[in-house]
Amino acid sequence: MSVNAISLNAPARPSISSRAGEGEIGITAEAWLELIDREYLREFVSSGGSAVKFVEAGAGQIDEIQARLAALAEQHGLASCRIDASRTKLHMIQDIFFAVSRSLDWPGMAQAFVEALVTDHGYGWPRADGGVTFEDVAAYNEIDVRLFRRDLNRWLTGDVMQDRTMSQDFRIAMATLSRTRLEPDETDVGVTAPVLEWLRGELRAIGPLRETYITAKITRHNGRAMLRSLCRWLRLCGRKGICVMLDIRQVLRTGTALAEGLRYTAAAVIDAFEVLRQLIDDAETFEGLLVVVLADEALTGLDPKRSLNAYDALKMRVWDDVRATGRDNPLATLVRLHSGAHETIGAS
């Protein structure tokens, strides 16, 4: 689908208006995306700010909104990730981290970080193909390889291991991945594969990581710290941040409306809402993170077990206490997209 012409069922020009005959206030998808681009992605998130936004939209809009957000994120130097609650356990923060992790090129990020680390300290980089060893860099700069190893370890200590904004195990993992970029012969049989499996939630036991001094698996107890660390690492690797899109429609469904995939009990719904509540409360501790939570009208419906009415702690954080009678606030935490007859989302 072309980025320049994503069709949505809404008016052609960006506008904020009421739904005729319903007395319901909404904003067009184009207007909202334009505001998110201008007020968040372009500068705020790219400069290290973080926010959580909730969007209530029609079923035909959500996929196209995600495509447009991904394109805008790439345009501004941010990574992006789509997470569907029908395939990812939204009520477990570690599973959200694993879904984001699986969308990223960890070796590529480590490669970019190492190259920048070496060149920022005045050394030349031999070639651009990435297949470079300690010996290659030392020879290219006409220094002893032992001195270069010592220098790299010192730089990794200062720039990674002493960066307290990342958790200790995460720092160890990133230093390990960075170091092994200069030891290509060890990447398949050494510690690289277990570290990647650990980051992606695929490692069954912590044993293979014992020699790296990583001490624990990623669980709900350290999942948010890992996500916070990931955001910091992205910026160290040259990305300005990440836009994470959470499609939570499956959480809100029950009975005949339930699509294929994961099923959420009433207790799991509350846990999922608690995860979202924690993301809102912790937003200021993340670096360069925009979370867009996408839902249908069931989010603000009357179901006492699956709508926002099920969990006041989340509802109080996203619901406007004071609402104008003539128009919606397009920058509110929760917005409802207007669904008119014809709308085209064009490039900014």
Side-chain angles (χ1 to χ4, degrees), residues 62-63 66 81-90 99 245-251 253 259-262 264 294:
I62 289 179
D63 287 344
Q66 290 186 97
C81 175
R82 304 185 194 187
I83 299 177
D84 189 337
S86 67
R87 296 188 294 271
T88 299
K89 296 176 181 177
L90 195 67
M245 294 157 274
L246 300 178
D247 181 347
I248 69 167
R249 285 176 291 177
Q250 185 79 352
V251 177
R253 291 170 176 156
E260 293 183 359
L262 296 171
Y264 290 81
L294 296 150

PDB file of all heavy atoms in Angstrom, residues 62-63 66 81-90 99 245-251 253 259-262 264 294:
ATOM      1  N   ILE A  62      -7.750   0.820  11.516  1.00  0.00           N
ATOM      2  CA  ILE A  62      -6.618   0.576  12.405  1.00  0.00           C
ATOM      3  C   ILE A  62      -5.358   0.130  11.641  1.00  0.00           C
ATOM      4  O   ILE A  62      -4.261   0.637  11.881  1.00  0.00           O
ATOM      5  CB  ILE A  62      -7.009  -0.434  13.501  1.00  0.00           C
ATOM      6  CG1 ILE A  62      -7.972   0.248  14.478  1.00  0.00           C
ATOM      7  CG2 ILE A  62      -5.777  -0.961  14.229  1.00  0.00           C
ATOM      8  CD1 ILE A  62      -8.462  -0.622  15.607  1.00  0.00           C
ATOM      9  N   ASP A  63      -5.485  -0.827  10.717  1.00  0.00           N
ATOM     10  CA  ASP A  63      -4.309  -1.283   9.980  1.00  0.00           C
ATOM     11  C   ASP A  63      -3.678  -0.150   9.183  1.00  0.00           C
ATOM     12  O   ASP A  63      -2.448  -0.037   9.107  1.00  0.00           O
ATOM     13  CB  ASP A  63      -4.685  -2.427   9.032  1.00  0.00           C
ATOM     14  CG  ASP A  63      -4.951  -3.725   9.773  1.00  0.00           C
ATOM     15  OD1 ASP A  63      -4.549  -3.824  10.947  1.00  0.00           O
ATOM     16  OD2 ASP A  63      -5.555  -4.637   9.183  1.00  0.00           O
ATOM     17  N   GLN A  66      -1.773   2.225  11.422  1.00  0.00           N
ATOM     18  CA  GLN A  66      -0.481   1.654  11.798  1.00  0.00           C
ATOM     19  C   GLN A  66       0.533   1.796  10.673  1.00  0.00           C
ATOM     20  O   GLN A  66       1.714   2.101  10.916  1.00  0.00           O
ATOM     21  CB  GLN A  66      -0.652   0.184  12.178  1.00  0.00           C
ATOM     22  CG  GLN A  66      -1.401  -0.017  13.484  1.00  0.00           C
ATOM     23  CD  GLN A  66      -1.437  -1.472  13.901  1.00  0.00           C
ATOM     24  OE1 GLN A  66      -0.620  -1.917  14.709  1.00  0.00           O
ATOM     25  NE2 GLN A  66      -2.381  -2.230  13.371  1.00  0.00           N
ATOM     26  N   CYS A  81       7.142  -0.746  15.713  1.00  0.00           N
ATOM     27  CA  CYS A  81       6.763  -2.139  15.973  1.00  0.00           C
ATOM     28  C   CYS A  81       5.257  -2.224  16.156  1.00  0.00           C
ATOM     29  O   CYS A  81       4.669  -1.415  16.873  1.00  0.00           O
ATOM     30  CB  CYS A  81       7.480  -2.642  17.233  1.00  0.00           C
ATOM     31  SG  CYS A  81       6.981  -4.306  17.741  1.00  0.00           S
ATOM     32  N   ARG A  82       4.641  -3.199  15.483  1.00  0.00           N
ATOM     33  CA  ARG A  82       3.208  -3.438  15.640  1.00  0.00           C
ATOM     34  C   ARG A  82       3.010  -4.679  16.511  1.00  0.00           C
ATOM     35  O   ARG A  82       3.605  -5.723  16.250  1.00  0.00           O
ATOM     36  CB  ARG A  82       2.538  -3.661  14.286  1.00  0.00           C
ATOM     37  CG  ARG A  82       2.751  -2.546  13.282  1.00  0.00           C
ATOM     38  CD  ARG A  82       1.938  -2.833  12.030  1.00  0.00           C
ATOM     39  NE  ARG A  82       2.348  -2.001  10.922  1.00  0.00           N
ATOM     40  CZ  ARG A  82       1.712  -1.950   9.757  1.00  0.00           C
ATOM     41  NH1 ARG A  82       0.642  -2.717   9.564  1.00  0.00           N
ATOM     42  NH2 ARG A  82       2.142  -1.177   8.790  1.00  0.00           N
ATOM     43  N   ILE A  83       2.163  -4.558  17.511  1.00  0.00           N
ATOM     44  CA  ILE A  83       1.886  -5.677  18.407  1.00  0.00           C
ATOM     45  C   ILE A  83       0.379  -5.910  18.439  1.00  0.00           C
ATOM     46  O   ILE A  83      -0.391  -4.992  18.719  1.00  0.00           O
ATOM     47  CB  ILE A  83       2.413  -5.397  19.827  1.00  0.00           C
ATOM     48  CG1 ILE A  83       3.931  -5.192  19.791  1.00  0.00           C
ATOM     49  CG2 ILE A  83       2.045  -6.533  20.764  1.00  0.00           C
ATOM     50  CD1 ILE A  83       4.539  -4.831  21.141  1.00  0.00           C
ATOM     51  N   ASP A  84      -0.028  -7.131  18.142  1.00  0.00           N
ATOM     52  CA  ASP A  84      -1.435  -7.511  18.112  1.00  0.00           C
ATOM     53  C   ASP A  84      -1.742  -8.370  19.335  1.00  0.00           C
ATOM     54  O   ASP A  84      -1.093  -9.393  19.560  1.00  0.00           O
ATOM     55  CB  ASP A  84      -1.734  -8.286  16.830  1.00  0.00           C
ATOM     56  CG  ASP A  84      -3.221  -8.532  16.614  1.00  0.00           C
ATOM     57  OD1 ASP A  84      -3.981  -8.505  17.602  1.00  0.00           O
ATOM     58  OD2 ASP A  84      -3.616  -8.770  15.458  1.00  0.00           O
ATOM     59  N   ALA A  85      -2.729  -7.955  20.122  1.00  0.00           N
ATOM     60  CA  ALA A  85      -3.070  -8.680  21.341  1.00  0.00           C
ATOM     61  C   ALA A  85      -3.614 -10.078  21.068  1.00  0.00           C
ATOM     62  O   ALA A  85      -3.692 -10.893  21.989  1.00  0.00           O
ATOM     63  CB  ALA A  85      -4.105  -7.890  22.155  1.00  0.00           C
ATOM     64  N   SER A  86      -3.956 -10.392  19.832  1.00  0.00           N
ATOM     65  CA  SER A  86      -4.409 -11.746  19.513  1.00  0.00           C
ATOM     66  C   SER A  86      -3.241 -12.716  19.411  1.00  0.00           C
ATOM     67  O   SER A  86      -3.429 -13.923  19.464  1.00  0.00           O
ATOM     68  CB  SER A  86      -5.204 -11.753  18.201  1.00  0.00           C
ATOM     69  OG  SER A  86      -4.375 -11.441  17.093  1.00  0.00           O
ATOM     70  N   ARG A  87      -2.017 -12.171  19.295  1.00  0.00           N
ATOM     71  CA  ARG A  87      -0.827 -13.022  19.184  1.00  0.00           C
ATOM     72  C   ARG A  87       0.185 -12.795  20.297  1.00  0.00           C
ATOM     73  O   ARG A  87       1.069 -13.627  20.514  1.00  0.00           O
ATOM     74  CB  ARG A  87      -0.144 -12.805  17.828  1.00  0.00           C
ATOM     75  CG  ARG A  87      -0.996 -13.214  16.641  1.00  0.00           C
ATOM     76  CD  ARG A  87      -0.204 -13.172  15.348  1.00  0.00           C
ATOM     77  NE  ARG A  87       0.187 -11.812  15.003  1.00  0.00           N
ATOM     78  CZ  ARG A  87      -0.552 -10.990  14.270  1.00  0.00           C
ATOM     79  NH1 ARG A  87      -1.738 -11.386  13.833  1.00  0.00           N
ATOM     80  NH2 ARG A  87      -0.137  -9.776  13.978  1.00  0.00           N
ATOM     81  N   THR A  88       0.094 -11.680  20.977  1.00  0.00           N
ATOM     82  CA  THR A  88       1.016 -11.343  22.066  1.00  0.00           C
ATOM     83  C   THR A  88       0.227 -11.143  23.348  1.00  0.00           C
ATOM     84  O   THR A  88      -0.792 -10.440  23.345  1.00  0.00           O
ATOM     85  CB  THR A  88       1.798 -10.055  21.740  1.00  0.00           C
ATOM     86  OG1 THR A  88       2.561 -10.250  20.554  1.00  0.00           O
ATOM     87  CG2 THR A  88       2.734  -9.682  22.884  1.00  0.00           C
ATOM     88  N   LYS A  89       0.673 -11.757  24.430  1.00  0.00           N
ATOM     89  CA  LYS A  89      -0.025 -11.641  25.713  1.00  0.00           C
ATOM     90  C   LYS A  89       0.182 -10.239  26.278  1.00  0.00           C
ATOM     91  O   LYS A  89       1.183  -9.947  26.924  1.00  0.00           O
ATOM     92  CB  LYS A  89       0.491 -12.700  26.688  1.00  0.00           C
ATOM     93  CG  LYS A  89       0.192 -14.130  26.241  1.00  0.00           C
ATOM     94  CD  LYS A  89       0.798 -15.142  27.193  1.00  0.00           C
ATOM     95  CE  LYS A  89       0.526 -16.566  26.736  1.00  0.00           C
ATOM     96  NZ  LYS A  89       1.164 -17.571  27.626  1.00  0.00           N
ATOM     97  N   LEU A  90      -0.800  -9.403  26.032  1.00  0.00           N
ATOM     98  CA  LEU A  90      -0.679  -8.007  26.418  1.00  0.00           C
ATOM     99  C   LEU A  90      -0.649  -7.823  27.922  1.00  0.00           C
ATOM    100  O   LEU A  90      -0.175  -6.802  28.423  1.00  0.00           O
ATOM    101  CB  LEU A  90      -1.838  -7.203  25.816  1.00  0.00           C
ATOM    102  CG  LEU A  90      -1.683  -5.686  25.825  1.00  0.00           C
ATOM    103  CD1 LEU A  90      -0.560  -5.256  24.900  1.00  0.00           C
ATOM    104  CD2 LEU A  90      -2.989  -5.009  25.440  1.00  0.00           C
ATOM    105  N   ALA A  99       8.104  -8.978  21.940  1.00  0.00           N
ATOM    106  CA  ALA A  99       7.552  -8.647  20.623  1.00  0.00           C
ATOM    107  C   ALA A  99       8.319  -7.480  19.999  1.00  0.00           C
ATOM    108  O   ALA A  99       8.641  -7.505  18.801  1.00  0.00           O
ATOM    109  CB  ALA A  99       6.068  -8.298  20.746  1.00  0.00           C
ATOM    110  N   MET A 245       3.007   0.261  18.426  1.00  0.00           N
ATOM    111  CA  MET A 245       1.558   0.280  18.206  1.00  0.00           C
ATOM    112  C   MET A 245       0.947  -0.984  18.791  1.00  0.00           C
ATOM    113  O   MET A 245       1.289  -2.091  18.387  1.00  0.00           O
ATOM    114  CB  MET A 245       1.267   0.387  16.714  1.00  0.00           C
ATOM    115  CG  MET A 245       1.725   1.713  16.102  1.00  0.00           C
ATOM    116  SD  MET A 245       2.004   1.617  14.319  1.00  0.00           S
ATOM    117  CE  MET A 245       3.709   1.039  14.263  1.00  0.00           C
ATOM    118  N   LEU A 246       0.055  -0.815  19.756  1.00  0.00           N
ATOM    119  CA  LEU A 246      -0.590  -1.936  20.437  1.00  0.00           C
ATOM    120  C   LEU A 246      -2.048  -2.040  19.989  1.00  0.00           C
ATOM    121  O   LEU A 246      -2.865  -1.178  20.318  1.00  0.00           O
ATOM    122  CB  LEU A 246      -0.539  -1.756  21.954  1.00  0.00           C
ATOM    123  CG  LEU A 246       0.830  -1.650  22.624  1.00  0.00           C
ATOM    124  CD1 LEU A 246       0.653  -1.421  24.123  1.00  0.00           C
ATOM    125  CD2 LEU A 246       1.642  -2.896  22.389  1.00  0.00           C
ATOM    126  N   ASP A 247      -2.377  -3.063  19.247  1.00  0.00           N
ATOM    127  CA  ASP A 247      -3.763  -3.313  18.839  1.00  0.00           C
ATOM    128  C   ASP A 247      -4.402  -4.177  19.925  1.00  0.00           C
ATOM    129  O   ASP A 247      -4.137  -5.376  20.020  1.00  0.00           O
ATOM    130  CB  ASP A 247      -3.780  -4.034  17.489  1.00  0.00           C
ATOM    131  CG  ASP A 247      -5.195  -4.299  16.980  1.00  0.00           C
ATOM    132  OD1 ASP A 247      -6.150  -4.158  17.768  1.00  0.00           O
ATOM    133  OD2 ASP A 247      -5.339  -4.673  15.803  1.00  0.00           O
ATOM    134  N   ILE A 248      -5.259  -3.563  20.744  1.00  0.00           N
ATOM    135  CA  ILE A 248      -5.805  -4.267  21.906  1.00  0.00           C
ATOM    136  C   ILE A 248      -7.235  -4.770  21.687  1.00  0.00           C
ATOM    137  O   ILE A 248      -7.915  -5.163  22.634  1.00  0.00           O
ATOM    138  CB  ILE A 248      -5.765  -3.374  23.168  1.00  0.00           C
ATOM    139  CG1 ILE A 248      -6.764  -2.216  23.038  1.00  0.00           C
ATOM    140  CG2 ILE A 248      -4.360  -2.864  23.425  1.00  0.00           C
ATOM    141  CD1 ILE A 248      -7.007  -1.487  24.343  1.00  0.00           C
ATOM    142  N   ARG A 249      -7.698  -4.795  20.441  1.00  0.00           N
ATOM    143  CA  ARG A 249      -9.089  -5.192  20.200  1.00  0.00           C
ATOM    144  C   ARG A 249      -9.408  -6.584  20.727  1.00  0.00           C
ATOM    145  O   ARG A 249     -10.511  -6.836  21.210  1.00  0.00           O
ATOM    146  CB  ARG A 249      -9.392  -5.122  18.705  1.00  0.00           C
ATOM    147  CG  ARG A 249      -9.555  -3.692  18.177  1.00  0.00           C
ATOM    148  CD  ARG A 249      -9.759  -3.673  16.682  1.00  0.00           C
ATOM    149  NE  ARG A 249      -8.548  -4.079  15.973  1.00  0.00           N
ATOM    150  CZ  ARG A 249      -8.473  -4.213  14.642  1.00  0.00           C
ATOM    151  NH1 ARG A 249      -9.551  -3.996  13.900  1.00  0.00           N
ATOM    152  NH2 ARG A 249      -7.333  -4.567  14.070  1.00  0.00           N
ATOM    153  N   GLN A 250      -8.426  -7.496  20.665  1.00  0.00           N
ATOM    154  CA  GLN A 250      -8.682  -8.860  21.133  1.00  0.00           C
ATOM    155  C   GLN A 250      -8.970  -8.891  22.634  1.00  0.00           C
ATOM    156  O   GLN A 250      -9.752  -9.715  23.108  1.00  0.00           O
ATOM    157  CB  GLN A 250      -7.476  -9.754  20.809  1.00  0.00           C
ATOM    158  CG  GLN A 250      -7.651 -11.215  21.121  1.00  0.00           C
ATOM    159  CD  GLN A 250      -8.461 -11.963  20.079  1.00  0.00           C
ATOM    160  OE1 GLN A 250      -9.034 -11.363  19.176  1.00  0.00           O
ATOM    161  NE2 GLN A 250      -8.504 -13.272  20.188  1.00  0.00           N
ATOM    162  N   VAL A 251      -8.351  -7.982  23.384  1.00  0.00           N
ATOM    163  CA  VAL A 251      -8.583  -7.917  24.829  1.00  0.00           C
ATOM    164  C   VAL A 251     -10.036  -7.564  25.128  1.00  0.00           C
ATOM    165  O   VAL A 251     -10.607  -8.015  26.132  1.00  0.00           O
ATOM    166  CB  VAL A 251      -7.644  -6.872  25.476  1.00  0.00           C
ATOM    167  CG1 VAL A 251      -7.919  -6.731  26.964  1.00  0.00           C
ATOM    168  CG2 VAL A 251      -6.188  -7.244  25.236  1.00  0.00           C
ATOM    169  N   ARG A 253     -12.714  -8.271  23.316  1.00  0.00           N
ATOM    170  CA  ARG A 253     -13.698  -9.145  22.674  1.00  0.00           C
ATOM    171  C   ARG A 253     -14.092 -10.307  23.571  1.00  0.00           C
ATOM    172  O   ARG A 253     -13.306 -10.797  24.365  1.00  0.00           O
ATOM    173  CB  ARG A 253     -13.146  -9.695  21.357  1.00  0.00           C
ATOM    174  CG  ARG A 253     -12.995  -8.640  20.267  1.00  0.00           C
ATOM    175  CD  ARG A 253     -12.234  -9.183  19.090  1.00  0.00           C
ATOM    176  NE  ARG A 253     -12.151  -8.220  17.995  1.00  0.00           N
ATOM    177  CZ  ARG A 253     -11.210  -8.224  17.078  1.00  0.00           C
ATOM    178  NH1 ARG A 253     -10.262  -9.133  17.110  1.00  0.00           N
ATOM    179  NH2 ARG A 253     -11.221  -7.321  16.108  1.00  0.00           N
ATOM    180  N   ALA A 259     -12.111 -13.140  17.929  1.00  0.00           N
ATOM    181  CA  ALA A 259     -11.392 -13.619  16.756  1.00  0.00           C
ATOM    182  C   ALA A 259     -10.447 -14.743  17.155  1.00  0.00           C
ATOM    183  O   ALA A 259     -10.283 -15.064  18.331  1.00  0.00           O
ATOM    184  CB  ALA A 259     -10.610 -12.465  16.126  1.00  0.00           C
ATOM    185  N   GLU A 260      -9.828 -15.373  16.148  1.00  0.00           N
ATOM    186  CA  GLU A 260      -8.848 -16.413  16.440  1.00  0.00           C
ATOM    187  C   GLU A 260      -7.658 -15.822  17.182  1.00  0.00           C
ATOM    188  O   GLU A 260      -7.306 -14.668  17.011  1.00  0.00           O
ATOM    189  CB  GLU A 260      -8.384 -17.068  15.140  1.00  0.00           C
ATOM    190  CG  GLU A 260      -9.465 -17.869  14.418  1.00  0.00           C
ATOM    191  CD  GLU A 260      -8.916 -18.552  13.184  1.00  0.00           C
ATOM    192  OE1 GLU A 260      -7.717 -18.377  12.889  1.00  0.00           O
ATOM    193  OE2 GLU A 260      -9.684 -19.253  12.511  1.00  0.00           O
ATOM    194  N   GLY A 261      -7.033 -16.641  18.000  1.00  0.00           N
ATOM    195  CA  GLY A 261      -5.861 -16.186  18.730  1.00  0.00           C
ATOM    196  C   GLY A 261      -6.042 -16.310  20.226  1.00  0.00           C
ATOM    197  O   GLY A 261      -6.854 -17.110  20.709  1.00  0.00           O
ATOM    198  N   LEU A 262      -5.281 -15.529  20.957  1.00  0.00           N
ATOM    199  CA  LEU A 262      -5.316 -15.586  22.418  1.00  0.00           C
ATOM    200  C   LEU A 262      -6.678 -15.183  22.957  1.00  0.00           C
ATOM    201  O   LEU A 262      -7.357 -14.325  22.398  1.00  0.00           O
ATOM    202  CB  LEU A 262      -4.243 -14.661  22.996  1.00  0.00           C
ATOM    203  CG  LEU A 262      -2.784 -15.014  22.678  1.00  0.00           C
ATOM    204  CD1 LEU A 262      -1.864 -13.891  23.133  1.00  0.00           C
ATOM    205  CD2 LEU A 262      -2.403 -16.325  23.350  1.00  0.00           C
ATOM    206  N   TYR A 264      -8.590 -13.780  26.441  1.00  0.00           N
ATOM    207  CA  TYR A 264      -8.312 -13.065  27.679  1.00  0.00           C
ATOM    208  C   TYR A 264      -9.464 -13.259  28.663  1.00  0.00           C
ATOM    209  O   TYR A 264     -10.610 -12.910  28.378  1.00  0.00           O
ATOM    210  CB  TYR A 264      -8.117 -11.566  27.407  1.00  0.00           C
ATOM    211  CG  TYR A 264      -6.847 -11.247  26.663  1.00  0.00           C
ATOM    212  CD1 TYR A 264      -6.770 -11.397  25.278  1.00  0.00           C
ATOM    213  CD2 TYR A 264      -5.709 -10.809  27.335  1.00  0.00           C
ATOM    214  CE1 TYR A 264      -5.612 -11.113  24.577  1.00  0.00           C
ATOM    215  CE2 TYR A 264      -4.531 -10.516  26.650  1.00  0.00           C
ATOM    216  CZ  TYR A 264      -4.492 -10.680  25.271  1.00  0.00           C
ATOM    217  OH  TYR A 264      -3.327 -10.399  24.588  1.00  0.00           O
ATOM    218  N   LEU A 294      -4.382   1.077  20.116  1.00  0.00           N
ATOM    219  CA  LEU A 294      -5.460   1.130  19.135  1.00  0.00           C
ATOM    220  C   LEU A 294      -6.595   0.194  19.540  1.00  0.00           C
ATOM    221  O   LEU A 294      -6.361  -0.979  19.844  1.00  0.00           O
ATOM    222  CB  LEU A 294      -4.924   0.743  17.758  1.00  0.00           C
ATOM    223  CG  LEU A 294      -3.869   1.719  17.218  1.00  0.00           C
ATOM    224  CD1 LEU A 294      -2.878   1.004  16.317  1.00  0.00           C
ATOM    225  CD2 LEU A 294      -4.527   2.856  16.478  1.00  0.00           C
TER     226      LEU A 294
END
